[in-house]
Amino acid sequence: MNNLADKRIIENANCKDNFCDSETVLQITNLEKKYVSDSENLTVLHDLNLTVKKGRKTVIVGESGSGKSTLLNIIGGIDRFESGSVIAGKWDVGNLNEKQISQYRSHFLGLIFQFHHLLKDFTALENVFMPALIAGVPKKTAIKQAEQLLYDVGVYDRKNHLPGQLSGGERQRVAVARSLINNPSLILADEPTGNLDPANAEKIGNLLFSMVEKYQKTLILVTHDLNLAKSGDEQLRIVEGKLQ
């Protein structure tokens, strides 16, 4: 990144008068997101505000199409937005170029999706340590960290298996481990149990919260599962584009 880009990122990072609020991991202000086509102009998120403090586990629920996943995609730098601001740590997400977004996702975020998105031709261990290699971690260190995470999520004995040789629950355990490999500040989980049967959904939900607690991470979780939502420190609902 050039010096001007670095300066823009840091100056917008929850700072005032050269003081940064290190306890605020995410600050969203007056966010608006629209989908515009020839046939309609749909406002999905309107004047949405959210503050997430370090170590908090925030759960967001809402009806299908209410904008839950859109909100996570915006925080993750996947979707752009029309107005407002999204400040994640030192990152002014709305003003990042593609290279900076890649660095932001690699160093600040851990991502977990409804579908595991594991690379089918790589083992569980390789899927977990690969993001660390991409981030510049030496291979021996990355492998050691990945092995520890696979042990923690209960699939160490399956580390040399390909995703196609793992059960749905095991694949999602690997995905949880992968989300933690780069020591992110913020974990984003979009319906992480939505593709599992009830028994496995409960196990993976419990595992996710226990791992976030163990590694002292901040979590934003989107879910339809009201039982899973109860495990959060706070439960918010999206209604008419706003959080309540």
Side-chain angles (χ1 to χ4, degrees):
M1 289 184 291
N2 59 46
N3 291 335
L4 287 177
D6 285 339
K7 188 171 186 289
R8 183 177 65 240
I9 291 171
I10 295 170
E11 283 184 343
N12 285 282
N14 301 311
C15 298
K16 184 177 181 180
D17 299 329
N18 295 320
F19 172 78
C20 291
D21 179 5
S22 61
E23 292 301 307
T24 299
V25 173
L26 178 70
Q27 182 74 58
I28 298 177
T29 306
N30 301 330
L31 181 66
E32 182 162 318
K33 171 63 179 177
K34 295 180 179 180
Y35 289 107
V36 179
S37 67
D38 293 337
S39 59
E40 65 177 345
N41 188 335
L42 178 64
T43 299
V44 180
L45 303 174
H46 175 64
D47 196 26
L48 184 145
N49 296 279
L50 175 64
T51 300
V52 178
K53 296 293 186 179
K54 183 177 180 180
R56 296 285 289 175
K57 296 178 281 293
T58 300
V59 179
I60 299 174
V61 300
E63 301 294 330
S64 295
S66 62
K68 304 185 303 299
S69 293
T70 297
L71 176 59
L72 247 59
N73 285 341
I74 287 172
I75 298 169
I78 298 169
D79 283 354
R80 295 292 185 174
F81 52 94
E82 277 62 47
S83 62
S85 66
V86 177
I87 308 298
K90 70 177 184 178
W91 307 87
D92 182 353
V93 178
N95 287 319
L96 302 180
N97 61 37
E98 288 303 315
K99 181 180 179 180
Q100 293 162 352
I101 287 174
S102 178
Q103 292 174 332
Y104 164 62
R105 291 181 191 144
S106 178
H107 295 285
F108 190 82
L109 296 179
L111 303 173
I112 307 170
F113 304 96
Q114 180 174 350
F115 300 98
H116 53 81
H117 293 303
L118 301 179
L119 300 174
K120 65 183 181 66
D121 295 325
F122 294 86
T123 66
L125 180 62
E126 290 168 335
N127 267 282
V128 175
F129 75 63
M130 194 173 300
L133 288 184
I134 293 171
V137 177
K139 186 173 182 179
K140 185 177 293 187
T141 301
I143 290 174
K144 184 177 181 180
Q145 292 171 342
E147 287 180 331
Q148 180 61 56
L149 286 167
L150 288 172
Y151 178 83
D152 287 345
V153 300
V155 289
Y156 179 81
D157 61 336
R158 309 285 281 169
K159 68 177 183 176
N160 294 320
H161 288 67
L162 298 172
Q165 298 170 315
L166 303 175
S167 70
E170 288 171 338
R171 289 193 289 266
Q172 205 64 336
R173 287 174 183 269
V174 175
V176 171
R178 181 183 56 187
S179 75
L180 291 161
I181 188 65
N182 282 337
N183 192 29
S185 297
L186 177 62
I187 302 289
L188 301 180
D190 190 358
E191 297 284 2
T193 63
N195 201 38
L196 301 173
D197 62 81
N200 270 311
E202 182 177 3
K203 291 177 182 178
I204 296 301
N206 291 338
L207 171 71
L208 174 57
F209 278 100
S210 68
M211 290 294 288
V212 168
E213 190 73 29
K214 175 181 176 68
Y215 283 92
Q216 299 180 317
K217 299 303 175 186
T218 306
L219 173 69
I220 301 177
L221 169 70
V222 161
T223 184
H224 282 99
D225 187 340
L226 297 183
N227 287 325
L228 178 60
K230 294 176 183 177
S231 298
D233 295 320
E234 60 180 342
Q235 298 82 40
L236 302 173
R237 180 178 295 274
I238 292 186
V239 179
E240 296 181 352
K242 297 181 180 182
L243 286 171
Q244 298 181 353

